[in-house]
Amino acid sequence: MIACDLKNEICGYSCTGYEGKAIWKELENTVKKIECESCREHAINQINFIHDMVNGGLGKPLYNESNFNKILNQANCIQSKISGEPS
């Protein structure tokens, strides 16, 4: 368990004190096994994005802000294309 600083939580996230670093690493190691190079790269970037979503929601610094912004932009682009909105 880790100490929580509840005043830093934002956007619906809540600190539970759970230390999940080993599980995050296991997730990354799992997607590194994807045989398609392009798919593997996307998956690794997306896992890192998800981890940074949690970090940011808990008021922690982002591990990779440029990757976070890249994946967020890709997600917004995909959402606009599938909803028919102009990008």
Side-chain angles (χ1 to χ4, degrees), residues 3 6 9 15 27 31 47 54 56 60 62 67 70 74 78:
L6 301 178
E9 296 172 329
C15 185
L27 283 169
V31 298
I47 289 293
V54 174
K60 296 178 179 181
L62 300 181
N67 178 71
K70 180 178 98 174
Q74 287 177 340
I78 292 167

Side-chain angles (χ1 to χ4, degrees), residues 44-59:
I44 290 168
N45 290 339
Q46 291 165 358
I47 289 293
N48 289 327
F49 171 83
I50 293 167
H51 195 175
D52 272 341
M53 283 287 297
V54 174
N55 285 341
L58 297 176

Side-chain angles (χ1 to χ4, degrees), residues 33-77:
K33 296 176 185 176
I34 295 173
E35 295 168 344
C36 167
E37 185 176 342
S38 178
C39 299
R40 181 175 54 250
E41 182 180 332
H42 283 292
I44 290 168
N45 290 339
Q46 291 165 358
I47 289 293
N48 289 327
F49 171 83
I50 293 167
H51 195 175
D52 272 341
M53 283 287 297
V54 174
N55 285 341
L58 297 176
K60 296 178 179 181
L62 300 181
Y63 171 73
N64 186 335
E65 190 170 350
S66 65
N67 178 71
F68 181 89
N69 291 328
K70 180 178 98 174
I71 299 299
L72 183 60
N73 287 336
Q74 287 177 340
N76 287 331
C77 178

